[in-house]
Amino acid sequence: MNMFKKNICRVYENMFLYLKKENINFKKKYFCKYEKNDVDKVKFVKYKKESGHTFSHLFLETEIYFEFKGNVFYRGHNLKSLCEMTTFDETVFLLLYKKLPNSKELDEKRNYLKNEYIRFVENEKNIIKIMEILKSNNLLELIRMCILNLSLVEKNNKDINLNYYKILAISLRLLSIFYSKNNLCESMFTDNVCLFILRIISNNNMLANNMPKVECNKSTCVDKTDDIVDKKDKEKLLNVLLTVICESNINENIFLLRLISNMNEKNNYFNIYLCAISFYIDIFKNINFDLTFKSFLNLDIYSKKQTDDEINEVITNIPNVDLFFYKNNFFLKKKNILKKYLTDYCNSQSQQSIDILNHFIQIEDMFFKYKNKYPSPYYYSMLIFYLLNIPVDLLPTIYFLSRLPSIITHINEQKENKKIVKYSSVYVGNVPTDIYQP
């Protein structure tokens, strides 16, 4: 037994010498001490990482997302160029089919989307019954029920890319049930998805009841009744927003979905989409976007009498604040693109729009100063929804629909690579003190 413990100590010492030889600087936190009089108490060598070095990461090969010299690329196309020259529909086609579409290919997808939309209209009475049974107006929950139905009904599931258009058609129809009394079925697919969403909202007579009733300073409020908004500007801003947030490289959720796709032998990808939408339902289930937006809008950042402790307490008490500000600044490059178009939009509208944008920028600066935190993708997305007169509680649904093409793209790539991704482990627990011998 004593020899076993000595060998363990020798392994740790050899590992330390190897790391030093490879110029990876670690330092000992505890040193191995072996006392002959007390064989049950042994302290082993542990190493603590010094600054300037990182542990190894698990890397997956991808052709989808790339960052280089301050630029973001989707399949080799600069995100700035995509925002300037294309629509969200074209970016989705790029992700799914590895190229930008021509007019014929784009029309084919819109016709397919229209046919799926019409086909779903026949079953919408069942969806309304489900709404009554669940007593829920949560769009994501209803979309999940529809995806579950597709996983049971759809047998011909060879083209995974068409699954996105099926789910999108169902979601747009549910959206029209919630927010529009007019039947937009005949004309909706002659234009892009963003324009259709704006049409749904503009046809909703009850929109004022869905928007947050904000009581704020005159300098930070937008008088929406007096705004004469150019439809093209609104359409452009929404297209840019969805293009920016539709792909975010391989994060924890995407990695898990790629692992699940390895185990999906029957190619029923709708089950994977069920996992994906469940992630977002879990993230947003306790988030009141109306309340949070109202808190941000009414945040008093102009009072000079407040101490640093008082300001710190005020921003800490904002509802759901951890969803909107992170320690990680991964959204920086995309945020700069989004703020450029957001600034252009506000400048084309009114001074009040500019004031509210400046108000949110000052809040961003305040969080960096007092909390060392950065805005998440949801922060400026929520502001854009408000400025476009879209109910902010629609953000979870629109966010999922914009992220779904990325999920399908990563599943496609995982299947094409045919590389099984598995976790491994390194034991760091207590050293065995006894070996069982029958």
Side-chain angles (χ1 to χ4, degrees):
M1 187 63 199
N2 293 342
M3 183 60 66
F4 172 77
K5 293 179 180 179
K6 289 181 180 179
N7 289 336
I8 291 292
C9 295
R10 191 176 297 112
V11 169
Y12 275 95
E13 292 293 345
N14 291 338
M15 182 178 68
F16 177 74
L17 293 175
Y18 170 77
L19 295 174
K20 293 291 289 184
K21 181 179 178 181
E22 296 295 324
N23 294 323
I24 302 176
N25 295 322
F26 284 73
K27 65 181 180 181
K28 295 180 181 179
K29 188 175 181 180
Y30 301 104
F31 291 91
C32 177
K33 291 184 179 180
Y34 175 73
E35 298 180 5
K36 295 182 179 180
N37 297 331
D38 193 357
V39 295
D40 294 329
K41 295 181 180 180
V42 180
K43 292 184 179 179
F44 290 91
V45 179
K46 295 185 179 180
Y47 301 102
K48 183 179 180 181
K49 184 186 68 169
E50 290 186 335
S51 60
H53 300 280
T54 58
F55 290 113
S56 60
H57 296 274
L58 180 60
F59 291 95
L60 295 180
E61 296 178 356
T62 182
E63 300 176 353
I64 303 170
Y65 184 95
F66 181 57
E67 293 185 8
F68 181 69
K69 292 186 177 180
N71 293 297
V72 178
F73 297 87
Y74 293 173
R75 291 202 180 276
H77 293 264
N78 196 315
L79 179 58
K80 295 178 182 177
S81 300
L82 291 175
C83 291
E84 184 68 27
M85 306 297 295
T86 67
T87 63
F88 172 66
D89 304 53
E90 293 169 316
T91 303
V92 168
F93 193 97
L94 170 65
L95 292 175
L96 296 178
Y97 295 97
K98 303 182 181 181
K99 66 173 186 176
L100 288 171
N102 54 40
S103 57
K104 180 181 178 180
E105 291 170 330
L106 204 57
D107 289 339
E108 287 178 354
K109 295 307 174 188
R110 285 174 178 166
N111 289 332
Y112 183 85
L113 187 64
K114 179 179 180 179
N115 293 333
E116 290 297 317
Y117 182 93
I118 296 173
R119 188 162 69 95
F120 180 71
V121 170
E122 301 172 357
N123 299 323
E124 69 179 35
K125 291 183 179 179
N126 296 330
I127 299 300
I128 296 175
K129 290 181 180 179
I130 293 174
M131 291 169 56
E132 295 174 353
I133 294 173
L134 295 177
K135 296 181 179 180
S136 171
N137 290 331
N138 189 328
L139 265 178
L140 279 180
E141 288 284 2
L142 296 177
I143 294 173
R144 178 162 64 174
M145 295 293 294
C146 294
I147 295 176
L148 176 60
N149 180 65
L150 289 174
S151 69
L152 300 174
V153 174
E154 295 290 335
K155 302 298 182 182
N156 186 10
N157 196 22
K158 295 181 180 180
D159 190 349
I160 182 176
N161 295 334
L162 294 180
N163 294 344
Y164 168 71
Y165 295 98
K166 291 180 181 179
I167 297 174
L168 179 61
I170 291 173
S171 303
L172 292 177
R173 183 55 190 168
L174 290 175
L175 194 65
S176 64
I177 293 174
F178 269 74
Y179 292 99
S180 179
K181 295 183 178 180
N182 298 332
N183 189 353
L184 303 177
C185 182
E186 297 298 328
S187 61
M188 61 170 289
F189 297 107
T190 58
D191 301 300
N192 61 66
V193 171
C194 292
L195 185 56
F196 173 64
I197 293 174
L198 293 172
R199 284 181 177 176
I200 290 177
I201 303 304
S202 64
N203 281 285
N204 181 16
N205 296 326
M206 302 300 293
L207 180 61
N209 295 331
N210 293 314
M211 294 299 292
K213 297 179 180 180
V214 180
E215 298 176 0
C216 59
N217 299 328
K218 292 182 179 180
S219 60
T220 61
C221 264
V222 176
D223 186 4
K224 294 183 179 291
T225 59
D226 296 333
D227 282 347
I228 302 175
V229 181
D230 186 358
K231 291 183 179 180
K232 291 185 178 180
D233 290 342
K234 297 181 72 173
E235 178 190 348
K236 181 64 178 178
L237 184 58
L238 187 57
N239 267 302
V240 169
L241 172 62
L242 299 189
T243 300
V244 165
I245 65 177
C246 72
E247 171 58 41
S248 61
N249 206 359
I250 300 176
N251 54 26
E252 292 83 355
N253 291 344
I254 292 294
F255 182 80
L256 179 58
L257 292 173
R258 290 180 73 133
L259 260 65
I260 295 174
S261 67
N262 287 330
M263 301 180 289
N264 189 21
E265 298 179 356
K266 296 183 179 180
N267 293 332
N268 190 345
Y269 298 105
F270 288 107
N271 290 331
I272 304 179
Y273 310 149
L274 282 173
C275 297
I277 195 171
S278 297
F279 291 153
Y280 289 97
I281 289 175
D282 186 62
I283 291 172
F284 297 122
K285 64 180 179 181
N286 295 322
I287 306 299
N288 187 331
F289 282 90
D290 289 348
L291 178 62
T292 303
F293 182 80
K294 182 178 179 180
S295 300
F296 279 123
L297 199 60
N298 290 325
L299 188 62
D300 184 11
I301 60 177
Y302 305 101
S303 176
K304 297 182 180 179
K305 298 180 180 180
Q306 291 179 320
T307 64
D308 289 352
D309 292 338
E310 290 174 340
I311 295 175
N312 205 341
E313 182 179 358
V314 168
I315 62 179
T316 303
N317 292 332
I318 295 176
N320 315 307
V321 67
D322 290 337
L323 181 68
F324 299 94
F325 283 90
Y326 296 158
K327 285 287 187 181
N328 193 327
N329 197 18
F330 70 93
F331 193 62
L332 174 63
K333 300 179 183 66
K334 291 186 172 185
K335 181 199 71 175
N336 292 336
I337 297 174
L338 199 58
K339 284 176 69 174
K340 173 186 177 299
Y341 286 93
L342 183 55
T343 302
D344 292 342
Y345 175 80
C346 291
N347 288 334
S348 68
Q349 302 307 308
S350 65
Q351 182 60 42
Q352 293 169 327
S353 299
I354 298 173
D355 290 341
I356 193 173
L357 173 60
N358 291 333
H359 177 75
F360 270 70
I361 293 175
Q362 287 178 311
I363 293 175
E364 176 189 348
D365 296 338
M366 182 183 295
F367 268 89
F368 178 74
K369 178 180 179 180
Y370 293 98
K371 291 291 187 179
N372 195 26
K373 289 186 175 181
Y374 306 90
S376 74
Y378 311 114
Y379 180 69
Y380 282 107
S381 300
M382 184 172 58
L383 173 60
I384 290 174
F385 270 47
Y386 179 73
L387 292 175
L388 295 181
N389 208 27
I390 301 175
V392 292
D393 60 2
L394 261 182
L395 181 58
T397 302
I398 303 299
Y399 196 88
F400 168 73
L401 293 178
S402 66
R403 295 286 291 121
L404 185 57
S406 172
I407 294 170
I408 295 176
T409 302
H410 280 280
I411 294 173
N412 268 333
E413 186 174 66
Q414 187 64 32
K415 288 293 184 181
E416 291 173 2
N417 289 346
K418 296 181 180 180
K419 293 182 179 180
I420 298 178
V421 181
K422 292 184 177 180
Y423 275 109
S424 185
S425 63
V426 177
Y427 182 74
V428 294
N430 295 328
V431 176
T433 58
D434 193 10
I435 298 179
Y436 175 72
Q437 294 181 353

